[in-house]
Amino acid sequence: MDASMSKFMKGIPALTSERKPLTGTTSAPNPVPQQQQQPQPQQQQQQQLQQQQQPMVPNQQLTSLASNPLQKQLMVQNHQLNNPVVRQMVGPMQKKLITNEGNSVFSASDDNVIMRQVIDTHLPDGTDVDVKPLLLIVQDILKHSTINADHVPSDEHTNGDKPDRKSHQTNVVVMLNSLTHIIDKLASEMALRCLTGGDGHATALALFHTMGNFHWDAKLVLTLAAFALNYGEFWLLAQIYSSNQLAKSMAILKQVPTIMEHTAPLKPRFDALQKLIHSVLELTLCIVEFKELPSMYITPDMPAMASAMNTIPTAVYWNIRGIIACATQVASLTSMGHGYGIASTELQSWELSTLGLKINHIHEFLRQQLENCRRVIGEKKEIEFRRTFNQLFETIHYDNMKILKVLISPRDDILPLFDGSTKKRVSLDVLRKRNVLLLISGLDMPQDELSILEEIYSDSRVQGTRTDGPYEIVWIPIVDPSVKYTNEMDMKVEEMRNKMPWYSVYHPSIIDSAVVKSIGDRWHFRNKPILVVLDTQGRELSPNAMHMMWIWGTSAFPFTSSKEELLWKDETWRLELLVSGMDPNISNWVSSSHSC
């Protein structure tokens, strides 16, 4: 094993790293004298009789000595195996899995020894598989592999998602041309070893040898697909055998009808199986996400990424062990019948839940590393965006769409604007090759300023239609990204945009946080409203034309500094300028005084 794997195993305690003796004297606070520990023959007979009378009830005093839930479960299991009645119930396969000191997940063997054997099978030859389309199909199979399949939510089957899913299925068909053989081989090998009582670790190593040339994420998804092939077949027969003669005959061979008739006593086992499958799937999705991280922002030597890469081989191993355990459960039910399944429900449920604890522990660690990687990526993207934001305005563009998409929304699948005149959502195309005034403000813009701006905007429409005006106004609501967005804020946004006759960004969340910070950097926006002017090519004509709008209104268009100088040069400093826009009586008084 390489140094990175050893480092990981030291940092992440394995399930077996804290094993303690599982006898009744473990961690006993008051040791019993040696002579009292040897029971008399009569006492032994009485203890055996008590065990036979209560074969399936865990020793409460024993479990109270455990320092954590996992150790408590281990103690309960050991206590049950010492019971002769339970030993008669447990089959050879389960005894080997639980008591084998060398290979079991429940034994005291070191994870380092296991991982050395796993790493030795890893011989990638550069074969790179896009596992996401295949994983999507596997998710769908596992999601509907349940007794209540008719009640499974189908929210992802919306009209908006159908094209995407169809594309994924097309990609799967192309990819399966080269992967069908190995998936079938893995499914057959797993089923055979589970039926013959194969050890979980030995089965896992055999599967790893078969997939030696694939990367870790592909190994995991291929094994999960092989399991889904058999598991999905079982539940497909369970769901349709009552209405399909072919399915009924096949189901009888697999004892499916009998198993379905005894779902009540088997419910704890099915529940534990579903929980473990869910844990396996969640960890699989997490591992696959690491491969999708953009390499331009995250490198293998970064701490979070390095920790994750060192952990992934161990995560893949234990996830495949979980898959094998699930396959074993199904194989034991279909081959040994519901009677054995009911008798061994408690033991099997315990095994599945214990593996689930191990997998959830690894998943939590990897999830934290994934979040750290995403945070680093977000920070780097923001720095890069803020650096290139200014360069964007120094480049000549054919029209203003590139600038507007960066400022408002780069996505084409949403309608980011709200039309104040029609009260409907519209796309950015309505602003193409138009002069645009960006009204940038918070949610507390004074109503009097809004009223004055609305009056000026209405005066700019000579014929009263939108296309007659020389410019368009777009309100960009700015909300501090560090402040939690509340329902009150949402109601305020809706109230303000409904009052405005121009366009508005439909929701503040549409604007990226990096854009918000870049607006502050370039145009020094803090809290006071500003009016940024862009021409038909997206060039910045004025960083803030608000004062020009108040003084001259639309006459100041296109609101450039040269236009402002010209207006001031032509303007005569007189009393009429100061009282312009005030009470008409004042203007009349000024005019009459000049005529006297």
Side-chain angles (χ1 to χ4, degrees):
M1 180 183 299
D2 57 19
S4 60
M5 182 60 62
S6 300
K7 183 178 179 181
F8 160 70
M9 296 311 303
K10 292 179 181 179
I12 302 298
L15 178 66
T16 59
S17 61
E18 297 183 357
R19 293 265 150 58
K20 296 182 180 180
L22 303 181
T23 63
T25 59
T26 301
S27 304
N30 297 312
V32 182
Q34 183 68 27
Q35 62 269 21
Q36 295 183 16
Q37 294 182 4
Q38 303 295 332
Q40 298 298 325
Q42 183 177 359
Q43 293 176 334
Q44 292 178 343
Q45 295 178 1
Q46 184 176 1
Q47 290 175 355
Q48 292 178 358
L49 180 61
Q50 290 176 351
Q51 290 176 346
Q52 295 177 3
Q53 291 174 346
Q54 297 179 332
M56 297 300 294
V57 179
N59 190 320
Q60 301 298 328
Q61 184 177 6
L62 177 65
T63 59
S64 67
L65 300 177
S67 60
N68 59 69
L70 180 57
Q71 186 181 9
K72 182 180 294 186
Q73 289 181 337
L74 291 169
M75 287 183 174
V76 171
Q77 182 63 35
N78 185 75
H79 170 70
Q80 291 175 339
L81 286 176
N82 289 332
N83 191 304
V85 176
V86 176
R87 281 190 171 273
Q88 293 177 4
M89 179 187 68
V90 180
M93 178 169 57
Q94 283 69 32
K95 286 182 180 179
K96 184 176 181 181
L97 177 63
I98 297 172
T99 60
N100 190 321
E101 289 297 325
N103 296 321
S104 172
V105 62
F106 312 117
S107 70
S109 63
D110 191 351
D111 269 3
N112 290 339
V113 177
I114 294 175
M115 290 312 301
R116 285 193 190 99
Q117 297 174 336
V118 174
I119 295 296
D120 288 342
T121 69
H122 187 56
L123 302 170
D125 59 1
T127 302
D128 193 15
V129 179
D130 179 13
V131 299
K132 206 63 183 292
L134 178 60
L135 183 56
L136 184 66
I137 298 298
V138 171
Q139 279 185 273
D140 201 52
I141 294 173
L142 298 179
K143 176 181 178 180
H144 293 89
S145 296
T146 176
I147 298 177
N148 299 318
D150 294 337
H151 301 288
V152 174
S154 57
D155 50 350
E156 76 273 20
H157 296 283
T158 60
N159 292 332
D161 293 333
K162 283 183 179 179
D164 185 59
R165 292 184 63 83
K166 184 177 180 181
S167 174
H168 276 292
Q169 290 177 355
T170 302
N171 293 338
V172 168
V173 171
V174 174
M175 183 176 58
L176 285 181
N177 290 333
S178 60
L179 296 180
T180 299
H181 174 71
I182 190 169
I183 292 176
D184 286 340
K185 185 177 180 180
L186 292 170
S188 300
E189 187 166 6
M190 194 188 314
L192 177 61
R193 288 179 174 270
C194 291
L195 285 171
T196 56
D199 175 76
H201 176 64
T203 302
L205 283 182
L207 299 181
F208 276 114
H209 277 291
T210 303
M211 304 179 292
N213 61 313
F214 291 95
H215 294 295
W216 293 107
D217 62 322
K219 295 178 195 286
L220 181 53
V221 176
L222 288 172
T223 306
L224 193 58
F227 167 73
L229 200 61
N230 293 331
Y231 189 65
E233 179 188 15
F234 171 84
W235 283 108
L236 179 62
L237 294 176
Q239 292 170 14
I240 69 171
Y241 78 89
S242 60
S243 59
N244 185 289
Q245 183 58 43
L246 176 60
K248 182 177 181 180
S249 300
M250 294 181 63
I252 291 173
L253 291 178
K254 290 181 173 289
Q255 304 191 61
V256 173
T258 307
I259 294 173
M260 292 299 102
E261 291 174 2
H262 297 82
T263 53
L266 289 172
K267 187 177 185 303
R269 187 167 178 173
F270 283 133
D271 290 345
L273 187 63
Q274 287 293 331
K275 287 180 180 179
L276 180 54
I277 291 174
H278 176 76
S279 297
V280 166
L281 190 56
E282 288 296 308
L283 179 53
T284 302
L285 291 169
C286 183
I287 291 173
V288 170
E289 285 188 60
F290 277 100
K291 189 176 180 180
E292 297 179 340
L293 296 177
S295 58
M296 65 179 66
Y297 299 112
I298 197 85
T299 56
D301 59 342
M302 298 186 67
M305 193 66 172
S307 296
M309 291 300 100
N310 292 337
T311 309
I312 283 177
T314 303
V316 171
Y317 169 79
W318 284 110
N319 230 19
I320 289 180
R321 284 294 299 271
I323 294 171
I324 294 170
C326 294
T328 302
Q329 302 299 310
V330 179
S332 64
L333 280 175
T334 56
S335 62
M336 300 181 186
H338 73 281
Y340 167 79
I342 295 174
S344 60
T345 290
E346 185 172 348
L347 294 174
Q348 302 289 5
S349 301
W350 173 84
E351 175 195 342
L352 296 176
S353 61
T354 305
L355 263 171
L357 288 175
K358 177 81 173 184
I359 291 171
N360 290 338
H361 172 68
I362 298 174
H363 177 221
E364 178 61 23
F365 175 79
L366 281 179
R367 187 187 61 80
Q368 292 176 357
Q369 305 313 307
L370 185 61
E371 290 179 355
N372 291 337
C373 289
R374 285 173 174 166
R375 189 188 69 254
V376 172
I377 292 171
E379 292 173 352
K380 288 188 174 182
K381 280 185 175 182
E382 182 175 304
I383 293 173
E384 181 183 21
F385 180 87
R386 296 171 76 173
R387 183 176 62 250
T388 59
F389 187 77
N390 289 333
Q391 299 175 0
L392 191 65
F393 289 93
E394 297 171 1
T395 306
I396 300 176
H397 305 283
Y398 174 72
D399 58 22
N400 57 359
M401 293 310 295
K402 185 173 183 179
I403 296 288
L404 293 176
K405 285 186 175 183
V406 170
L407 284 169
I408 298 176
S409 175
R411 296 176 55 183
D412 295 325
D413 58 337
I414 64 172
L415 301 176
L417 298 181
F418 179 80
D419 189 339
S421 61
T422 63
K423 308 302 180 185
K424 294 181 180 179
R425 296 183 66 170
V426 295
S427 68
L428 283 175
D429 282 331
V430 297
L431 303 176
R432 186 183 297 273
K433 292 189 176 181
R434 296 280 292 167
N435 295 292
V436 178
L437 276 59
L438 302 177
L439 175 59
I440 304 173
S441 76
L443 306 184
D444 53 354
M445 184 174 180
Q447 182 59 43
D448 55 347
E449 294 185 11
L450 195 60
S451 299
I452 296 173
L453 189 60
E454 182 179 349
E455 181 179 349
I456 297 172
Y457 176 79
S458 299
D459 292 341
S460 69
R461 269 55 186 161
V462 179
Q463 303 298 329
T465 60
R466 169 157 280 159
T467 56
D468 295 326
Y471 56 82
E472 292 292 348
I473 296 180
V474 179
W475 178 48
I476 298 184
I478 299 297
V479 176
D480 188 348
S482 62
V483 176
K484 183 179 179 181
Y485 194 78
T486 63
N487 291 333
E488 291 75 13
M489 297 167 69
D490 196 50
M491 293 174 61
K492 183 64 176 178
V493 170
E494 184 177 0
E495 178 186 356
M496 291 184 66
R497 74 171 183 235
N498 285 333
K499 290 181 179 179
M500 297 176 178
W502 46 76
Y503 296 111
S504 303
V505 173
Y506 183 75
H507 196 275
S509 61
I510 295 177
I511 304 172
D512 191 85
S513 60
V515 174
V516 174
K517 294 179 180 179
S518 298
I519 287 175
D521 293 341
R522 181 173 181 84
W523 296 313
H524 309 291
F525 171 78
R526 298 299 177 261
N527 295 312
K528 192 174 181 179
I530 61 175
L531 199 64
V532 179
V533 182
L534 305 178
D535 71 1
T536 56
Q537 292 181 293
R539 292 177 298 187
E540 178 186 312
L541 301 182
S542 174
N544 187 7
M546 189 68 77
H547 64 286
M548 298 175 65
M549 182 70 82
W550 293 156
I551 298 173
W552 289 288
T554 305
S555 301
F557 180 81
F559 306 103
T560 59
S561 57
S562 58
K563 180 66 174 181
E564 183 179 17
E565 291 177 5
L566 182 62
L567 289 171
W568 281 119
K569 185 182 297 184
D570 294 342
E571 187 62 53
T572 302
W573 285 91
R574 58 190 193 281
L575 187 58
E576 286 90 337
L577 176 63
L578 298 177
V579 301
S580 176
M582 296 185 181
D583 193 334
N585 294 326
I586 299 179
S587 299
N588 295 334
W589 176 80
V590 171
S591 300
S592 60
S593 64
H594 278 289
S595 60
C596 295

